[in-house]
Amino acid sequence: MAEKNIILTGDRPTGRLHLGHYVGSLKRRVELQNSGKFDAINILIADDQALTDNADNPAKIRDNIINVVLDYLSVGIDPSKTTICVQSALPALHALTFYYLNLVTTARLSRNPTVKAEIQMRGFADEGLPAGFFTYPVSQTADITAFDANVVPVGEDQLPMLEQAREIVEKFNKIYGETLVMPKAMIPENEFQRRLPGVDGKAKMSKSLGNCIYLSDTAATVKKQVNGKMYTDPLHIQVSDPGHTEGNVVFTYLDALCTDEHFAEYLPDYANLEEMKEHYRRGGLGDGTCKKFLINVLEETLSPIRAERAKWVQNIGDVYDIISTGTAKAVETTNATLARVRRAMKINYFEDRSIIKEWEELLKKADQ
Ligand code: ATP
Ligand code: MG
């Protein structure tokens, strides 16, 4: 196999995409897409994975496929450079998952910290845990390996998934011979972008927690979220009081998003975030000023995305064609990997008739 640089990432179509997706993954995807350094870039809309914890609500998944694609197109994912495809239409992924399930133990799956946290969050610990949800890291390994991806740009919560994928790849190649490409996670260098908290300050902005600023939110909604939901420092009561910037969600967002150019444009009293933070810590800088600046920074990021989305919304037929073409291409890519896997596992009985000869010789030998 020739060494190639191939990307696979994806999202669950469980809702519109939010600012956490943008800073944790989408922004990077667009940069990588435009870098010209990759042989192939694939984005998977993981509708099957979304069903593992939404089996009773397939309509939610169906409705959100269009939202997620619109979000991709509006942040600058370019279908002429990036293949956008839908997981459920790629049967090779199901077959690969079935084989990989034999290469991982239930004990190992139980140790995945992200899945553990998600089980708690979804109440599966009490209600019963769907086996499909429990094993979704294995299906994610199928997604990654089916595209021969070596680079997987994701947020920090996905690191355990990549670790699991690497273990499965190693085991597969050891048993069946060098067949699968070893993937590597690529997480943001900025630590605040790896896991953006929710507007409520909770550990992670997440569709399932309802603490999001969505890429498609209106300017009025964004303003309301910042002014109404973001708690700053409870000890910073008077403007003159010294304030804390650590664990202060307004500053965490600024850490993740703002640049020196934003200061020059909207808050020229400071050259950069460090100067602003110093003033806040010293006392004398009000939360209102900080929030107003954050709203400006958010708007500069979100308003072009919103405008681009509005254009695509007028052409849903074109959007359909983009994912239908992308999916057809992905069917070929993933089928080729499955064929290679079956050959390696020696279960490619129907690829040609060569096994007839093998069986005949085997039976002859047994007769002797
Ligand atoms: P769900 O609640 O349905 O799991 P989610 O909001 O966690 O949804 P996913 O579709 O699971 O979103 O994640 C898609 C990608 O976005 C992953 O690479 C994930 O690491 C990244 N991501 C999600 N939330 C954040 C966040 N708050 N900060 C940084 N990256 C994030
Ligand atoms: Mg998630």
Side-chain angles (χ1 to χ4, degrees):
M1 241 182 314
E3 278 294 310
K4 282 192 168 171
N5 267 328
I6 297 177
I7 288 182
L8 181 276
T9 52
D11 304 274
R12 296 154 36 95
T14 48
R16 290 174 290 145
L17 298 183
H18 53 64
L19 205 61
H21 295 119
Y22 183 72
V23 300
S25 181
L26 291 175
K27 193 163 166 256
R28 191 63 168 285
R29 290 183 207 176
V30 175
E31 287 162 11
L32 295 171
Q33 165 194 275
N34 297 335
S35 74
K37 288 191 186 142
F38 290 88
D39 298 294
I41 301 177
N42 306 285
I43 300 188
L44 182 76
I45 301 175
D47 61 332
D48 281 339
Q49 188 187 116
L51 282 170
T52 63
D53 57 333
N54 289 283
D56 56 352
N57 196 1
K60 171 172 146 190
I61 309 305
R62 186 183 168 93
D63 293 349
N64 279 304
I65 289 177
I66 185 63
N67 275 318
V68 169
V69 189
L70 285 171
D71 288 328
Y72 291 157
L73 296 170
S74 45
V75 298
I77 296 294
D78 174 352
S80 73
K81 297 179 182 155
T82 295
T83 305
I84 306 176
C85 57
V86 177
Q87 187 182 32
S88 59
L90 307 175
L93 301 183
H94 307 140
L96 290 173
T97 304
F98 203 61
Y99 303 139
Y100 296 170
L101 279 168
N102 304 326
L103 305 180
V104 59
T105 65
T106 54
R108 172 65 184 90
L109 286 171
S110 309
R111 287 199 300 271
N112 184 313
T114 298
V115 177
K116 258 196 210 167
E118 288 174 338
I119 287 170
Q120 286 305 325
M121 203 174 94
R122 286 160 173 73
F124 289 156
D126 308 321
E127 286 165 23
L129 173 61
F133 187 81
F134 180 58
T135 55
Y136 89 73
V138 180
S139 115
Q140 215 167 301
T141 304
D143 306 338
I144 296 166
T145 56
F147 288 88
D148 290 331
N150 58 337
V151 179
V152 186
V154 283
E156 192 178 52
D157 62 310
Q158 292 299 307
L159 287 178
M161 308 307 161
L162 264 293
E163 209 178 293
Q164 176 73 83
R166 290 170 62 86
E167 283 174 30
I168 292 174
V169 167
E170 197 184 333
K171 192 151 187 196
F172 188 100
N173 287 347
K174 200 164 151 213
I175 300 175
Y176 305 111
E178 212 47 45
T179 310
L180 301 174
V181 174
M182 185 61 79
K184 211 172 155 213
M186 184 189 259
I187 61 169
E189 277 149 33
N190 176 329
E191 62 174 303
F192 301 99
Q193 297 182 348
R194 289 182 202 153
R195 188 185 295 248
L196 191 75
V199 286
D200 55 0
K202 281 211 183 110
K204 181 175 173 283
M205 180 179 286
S206 166
K207 286 169 269 176
S208 307
L209 291 174
N211 57 5
C212 303
I213 291 180
Y214 290 101
L215 299 178
S216 48
D217 276 346
T218 61
T221 304
V222 172
K223 196 168 170 188
K224 218 162 87 188
Q225 293 283 71
V226 173
N227 286 332
K229 297 254 180 72
M230 284 190 165
Y231 289 99
T232 52
D233 174 8
L235 301 172
H236 187 243
I237 299 160
Q238 310 277 348
V239 172
S240 56
D241 290 340
H244 294 86
T245 53
E246 248 166 69
N248 181 328
V249 69
V250 171
F251 281 95
T252 308
Y253 277 45
L254 288 175
D255 269 315
L257 286 159
C258 84
T259 61
D260 295 353
E261 288 74 49
H262 287 131
F263 281 97
E265 171 98 23
Y266 303 111
L267 200 57
D269 291 354
Y270 313 100
N272 54 44
L273 186 56
E274 215 27 65
E275 280 186 15
M276 181 186 178
K277 279 184 179 174
E278 265 166 34
H279 193 183
Y280 192 83
R281 288 194 204 109
R282 228 176 27 240
L285 173 57
D287 287 327
T289 308
C290 301
K291 286 190 169 184
K292 200 168 159 207
F293 177 56
L294 175 60
I295 291 168
N296 280 325
V297 170
L298 287 171
E299 274 313 300
E300 191 163 310
T301 308
L302 295 175
S303 63
I305 298 177
R306 222 178 269 137
E308 194 59 25
R309 195 179 216 270
K311 276 193 245 161
W312 284 104
V313 165
Q314 303 303 315
N315 298 298
I316 295 304
D318 291 352
V319 180
Y320 177 89
D321 292 340
I322 287 168
I323 53 172
S324 148
T325 309
T327 302
K329 189 173 165 202
V331 166
E332 306 224 328
T333 311
T334 55
N335 278 351
T337 306
L338 177 61
R340 201 170 77 227
V341 159
R342 287 191 167 141
R343 240 171 270 141
M345 294 175 74
K346 303 206 183 316
I347 54 174
N348 56 331
Y349 314 118
F350 303 109
E351 206 169 29
D352 53 38
R353 297 172 68 86
S354 64
I355 199 169
I356 298 174
K357 212 166 181 57
E358 258 178 64
W359 281 342
E360 283 171 350
E361 272 164 25
L362 183 82
L363 294 168
K364 232 188 273 162
K365 246 190 241 160
D367 269 352
Q368 284 164 5

